[in-house]
């Protein structure tokens, strides 16, 4: 099994994905243990002084003015975890919780939090045991960190609350820790606060969304190419020299992908045939411009994610010169903005895909295809309602594109008077990514059927490979009406797990 070693300099995107989605094991580097020990020494020295230090010997948030005596500090740290574990609603997905815990461990190991090495090791042990704290949908405002979600994770370290075992069964955390030989931790000065104060949930969801959207943007180039074939469009608009004079990187990459997928097609370039037209509709002709803009948005979001991965997000932080300073680095605005931006780009990509599907089904605009791609129109309805389903998904994605980060609800008696709502932005982006997958699957299903109905014309080798693989995956081709949901589900799985892109790349080589 792959092992991820956590040091003081942060982790990589591939590390996060390996732990969250592939259950990679975690080890702490000697460098990290040394940094943890050094920072803890600073905190212990400050804790022994009579002067109050925020997070070490004071209350929190609006209660930071109270100095906490030494005999109450263990109780203080335990209480902050218990009281902040106030989430409600459905459970958050296992991969999100694993990313959340791993990214908090990454910051803990930076040497800027003052957490003892043993607490960090327990965090790694819990992840390695496949124990996943129960975290709820609602509770984070994306400022002072993802407080409630992280608190539910910290509660498991204390042996309290509930968690899911490696068998998928939710049980008391104390039982799961005992079964795996993990002793619950007793938190000392600053440690409770350090486990709660980060952007880890929203960052983890951003990283996973970027991985999924990278695959989906390649998938969208393939489905757009298939629709162009099915509509007898022209691939001349994909010429590199046209995109060179408007040098947006994403646009050029998208056009190059479509051109590679369409190489050798016998369906493109038929404008002069039975239904002459000067230009294709925007949804066909402008596919690289729209998908390309989304690709450039991904690039910007990836830059933000990489910067955040290299960050130590906590408050207060332990500095190398021995100071423990309050700061505002826990504010989720940088991450929240790009999460919202990605939801906007995803909604627009879904919208243009739906327009191509609608064009394929309309006999007045499909250039010779049967109404709704039906076998016997009138007796058969074909893919009429598949487009309804697609339209419903796109409509929801437009609602999900409304920014969460533009909202702010003050909290903590107006001490935390401006928040990012980054967790909410991340949660709605996950739904948007799921819906985009389904929208592209429906376009794929319609476009492949339409290509197969173009008798006497030969599709490109790459699109032919995609059609063959899709049919082998269980999504059937043209014919009389049948129970359609299983076919759409098969197409959804085919896009979701990367088989669409893989089937095409087996012919074209790696897409951009």
């Amino acid at each position: 099994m792959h092992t991820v070693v956590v040091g003081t300099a942060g982790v990589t995107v591939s590390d996060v994905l390996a732990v969250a989605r592939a259950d990679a094991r975690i080890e702490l580097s000697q460098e990290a243990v040394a940094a943890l020990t050094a920072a803890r020494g600073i905190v212990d020295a400050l804790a022994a002084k009579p002067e109050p230090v925020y997070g070490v010997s004071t209350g929190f948030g609006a209660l930071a003015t109270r100095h906490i005596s030494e005999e109450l500090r263990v109780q203080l740290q335990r209480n902050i975890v218990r009281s902040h574990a106030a989430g409600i609603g459905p459970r958050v997905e296992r991969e999100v919780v694993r990313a959340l815990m791993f990214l908090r461990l990454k910051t803990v190991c930076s040497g800027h939090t003052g957490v003892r090495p043993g607490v960090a090791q327990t965090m790694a042990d819990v992840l390695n045991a496949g124990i996943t704290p129960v975290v709820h949908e609602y509770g984070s405002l994306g400022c002072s960190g993802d407080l409630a979600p992280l608190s539910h994770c910290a509660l498991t370290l204390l042996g309290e609350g509930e968690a899911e075992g490696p068998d998928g069964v939710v049980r008391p955390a104390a039982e799961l820790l005992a079964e795996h030989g993990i002793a619950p931790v007793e938190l000392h000065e600053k440690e409770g606060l350090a486990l709660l104060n980060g952007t880890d949930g929203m960052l983890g969801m951003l990283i996973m969304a970027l991985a999924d959207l990278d695959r989906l943007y390649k998938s969208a180039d393939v489905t757009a190419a298939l629709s162009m074939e099915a509509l007898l469009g022209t691939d001349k608009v994909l010429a590199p020299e046209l995109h060179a004079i408007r040098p947006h990187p994403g646009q050029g990459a998208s056009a190059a992908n479509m051109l590679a997928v369409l190489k050798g097609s016998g369906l493109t370039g038929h404008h002069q045939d039975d239904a002459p037209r000067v230009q294709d509709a925007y949804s066909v002709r402008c596919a690289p411009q729209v998908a390309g803009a989304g690709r450039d948005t991904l690039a910007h979001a990836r830059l933000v994610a990489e910067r955040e991965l290299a960050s130590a997000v906590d408050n207060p932080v332990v500095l190398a010169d021995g100071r423990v300073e309050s700061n505002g680095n826990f504010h989720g605005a940088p991450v929240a903005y790009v999460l919202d931006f990605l939801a906007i780009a995803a909604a627009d990509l879904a919208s243009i895909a739906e327009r191509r599907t609608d064009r394929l089904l309309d006999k007045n605009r499909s250039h010779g295809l049967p109404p709704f791609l039906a076998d016997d129109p009138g007796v058969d309805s074909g893919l009429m309602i598949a487009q309804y389903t697609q339209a419903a998904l796109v409509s929801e994605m437009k609602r999900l594109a409304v920014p969460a980060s533009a909202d702010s609800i003050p909290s903590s008696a107006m001490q935390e008077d401006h928040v990012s709502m980054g967790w909410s932005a991340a949660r709605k982006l996950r739904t948007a990514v799921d819906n985009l997958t389904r929208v592209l699957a429906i376009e794929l299903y319609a476009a492949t059927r339409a290509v197969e109905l173009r008798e006497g014309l030969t599709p490109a080798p790459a699109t032919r490979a995609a059609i063959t693989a899709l049919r082998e995956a269980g999504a059937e081709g043209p014919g009389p009406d049948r129970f359609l949901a299983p076919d759409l589900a098969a197409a959804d799985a085919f896009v979701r797990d990367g088989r669409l892109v893989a089937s095409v790349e087996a012919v074209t080589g790696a897409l951009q």
Side-chain angles (χ1 to χ4, degrees), residues 28 33 36-37 115-125 183 185 191:
L28 308 187
V33 173
L36 285 160
T37 302
V115 170
R116 289 168 296 150
V119 177
Q121 186 59 56
T122 300
M123 296 172 74
D125 291 343
V185 300
E191 290 180 331

Side-chain angles (χ1 to χ4, degrees), residues 228-251:
M228 179 178 279
E229 272 197 315
L231 292 166
L232 306 179
T234 178
D235 58 2
K236 290 181 179 180
V237 297
L238 305 175
E241 57 269 27
L242 292 175
H243 298 278
I245 62 175
R246 195 191 191 194
H248 293 287
Q251 177 180 322

Side-chain angles (χ1 to χ4, degrees), residues 404-418:
S405 58
D407 188 24
S408 177
I409 296 181
S411 57
S412 193
M414 292 298 287
Q415 175 71 5
E416 299 169 10
D417 59 352
H418 183 274

Side-chain angles (χ1 to χ4, degrees), residues 28-222:
L28 308 187
S29 72
Q30 292 183 350
E31 175 194 33
V33 173
L36 285 160
T37 302
R40 186 65 209 178
I42 294 171
V43 170
D44 286 340
L46 289 171
K49 292 183 177 181
E51 298 84 8
V53 177
Y54 177 69
V56 176
S57 52
T58 70
F60 310 111
L63 303 176
T65 55
R66 177 178 172 183
H67 181 256
I68 307 299
S69 60
E70 187 173 353
E71 65 272 13
L72 293 176
R73 291 176 191 169
V74 169
Q75 181 181 341
L76 168 70
Q77 300 300 321
R78 182 174 63 247
N79 284 353
I80 190 176
V81 172
R82 288 173 169 172
S83 65
H84 285 45
I88 199 168
R91 284 180 58 196
V92 172
E93 304 86 354
R94 181 178 187 270
E95 66 177 13
V96 172
V97 180
R98 287 185 62 82
L100 172 74
M101 288 190 69
F102 176 64
L103 288 168
R104 184 76 310 221
L105 176 61
K106 176 269 299 182
T107 284
V108 164
C109 288
S110 69
H112 291 292
T113 66
V115 170
R116 289 168 296 150
V119 177
Q121 186 59 56
T122 300
M123 296 172 74
D125 291 343
V126 168
L127 285 165
N128 289 339
I131 297 171
T132 307
V134 170
V135 174
H136 298 280
E137 182 86 20
Y138 301 102
S140 173
L141 300 180
C143 204
S144 283
D146 290 317
L147 286 173
L150 282 163
S151 298
H152 282 277
C153 293
L155 198 65
T156 294
L157 302 180
L158 303 182
E160 300 183 18
E162 291 187 321
E164 178 186 301
D167 58 0
V169 177
V170 173
R171 297 163 54 196
E175 291 182 12
L176 289 167
L177 294 184
E179 282 185 9
H180 290 85
I182 301 171
V185 300
E186 180 180 80
L187 300 176
H188 293 183
E189 290 92 343
K190 194 184 177 304
E191 290 180 331
L193 188 61
L195 294 179
L196 315 186
N197 220 334
T199 56
D200 309 290
M202 63 183 91
L203 176 58
M205 287 185 275
L206 171 60
I207 288 168
M208 288 185 283
L210 287 169
D212 294 339
L213 288 168
D214 182 69
R215 181 187 68 253
L216 290 173
Y217 271 84
K218 292 175 185 176
S219 300
D221 292 338
V222 174

Side-chain angles (χ1 to χ4, degrees), residues 20 30 40 171 209-210 240 285 317 326 361 377 416 436 467 500 502:
Q30 292 183 350
R40 186 65 209 178
R171 297 163 54 196
L210 287 169
R285 186 175 11 134
V317 293
S326 293
L361 304 188
E416 299 169 10
L436 177 59
I467 294 170
L500 170 60

Side-chain angles (χ1 to χ4, degrees), residues 152-358:
H152 282 277
C153 293
L155 198 65
T156 294
L157 302 180
L158 303 182
E160 300 183 18
E162 291 187 321
E164 178 186 301
D167 58 0
V169 177
V170 173
R171 297 163 54 196
E175 291 182 12
L176 289 167
L177 294 184
E179 282 185 9
H180 290 85
I182 301 171
V185 300
E186 180 180 80
L187 300 176
H188 293 183
E189 290 92 343
K190 194 184 177 304
E191 290 180 331
L193 188 61
L195 294 179
L196 315 186
N197 220 334
T199 56
D200 309 290
M202 63 183 91
L203 176 58
M205 287 185 275
L206 171 60
I207 288 168
M208 288 185 283
L210 287 169
D212 294 339
L213 288 168
D214 182 69
R215 181 187 68 253
L216 290 173
Y217 271 84
K218 292 175 185 176
S219 300
D221 292 338
V222 174
T223 61
L226 273 158
S227 290
M228 179 178 279
E229 272 197 315
L231 292 166
L232 306 179
T234 178
D235 58 2
K236 290 181 179 180
V237 297
L238 305 175
E241 57 269 27
L242 292 175
H243 298 278
I245 62 175
R246 195 191 191 194
H248 293 287
Q251 177 180 322
S254 185
N257 283 348
M258 289 182 65
L259 203 57
V261 172
L262 291 170
K263 184 178 180 180
S265 175
L267 284 88
T268 56
H270 287 265
H271 290 87
Q272 72 279 15
D273 291 355
D274 295 336
R277 60 199 129 123
V278 177
Q279 299 178 112
D280 290 315
Y282 284 7
S283 60
V284 178
R285 186 175 11 134
C286 301
Q289 284 76 12
V290 172
R295 285 171 170 271
D296 291 341
T297 303
L298 287 179
H300 171 61
R302 193 172 292 113
L303 177 62
V304 172
E306 289 169 353
R307 288 172 176 164
E308 198 76 358
L309 281 174
S311 303
V313 179
D314 193 17
N315 180 49
V317 293
V318 181
L319 298 176
D321 61 8
R323 287 179 294 150
V324 175
E325 296 285 1
S326 293
N327 66 91
N329 285 342
F330 50 75
H331 199 288
V335 182
Y337 291 166
V338 294
L339 287 163
D340 279 333
F341 200 174
L342 290 175
I344 292 169
D348 201 36
L349 186 64
S351 180
I352 197 171
E354 184 276 330
R355 288 294 81 204
R356 290 190 295 263
T357 303
D358 182 67

Side-chain angles (χ1 to χ4, degrees), residues 392-463:
L393 291 163
V394 171
S395 181
E396 181 177 47
M397 290 183 70
K398 291 176 180 177
R399 296 191 293 274
L400 293 168
V402 175
S405 58
D407 188 24
S408 177
I409 296 181
S411 57
S412 193
M414 292 298 287
Q415 175 71 5
E416 299 169 10
D417 59 352
H418 183 274
V419 297
S420 77
M421 303 306 295
W423 173 273
S424 299
R427 296 306 296 164
K428 68 185 183 63
L429 178 59
R430 284 182 69 82
T431 303
V433 170
D434 271 348
N435 284 358
L436 177 59
T437 305
R438 298 173 181 125
V439 167
L440 294 177
I442 293 171
E443 183 187 14
L444 172 69
Y445 187 68
T448 54
R449 177 182 282 205
V451 167
E452 289 178 302
L453 289 171
R454 294 291 189 188
E455 296 180 1
L457 296 173
T458 305
T463 55

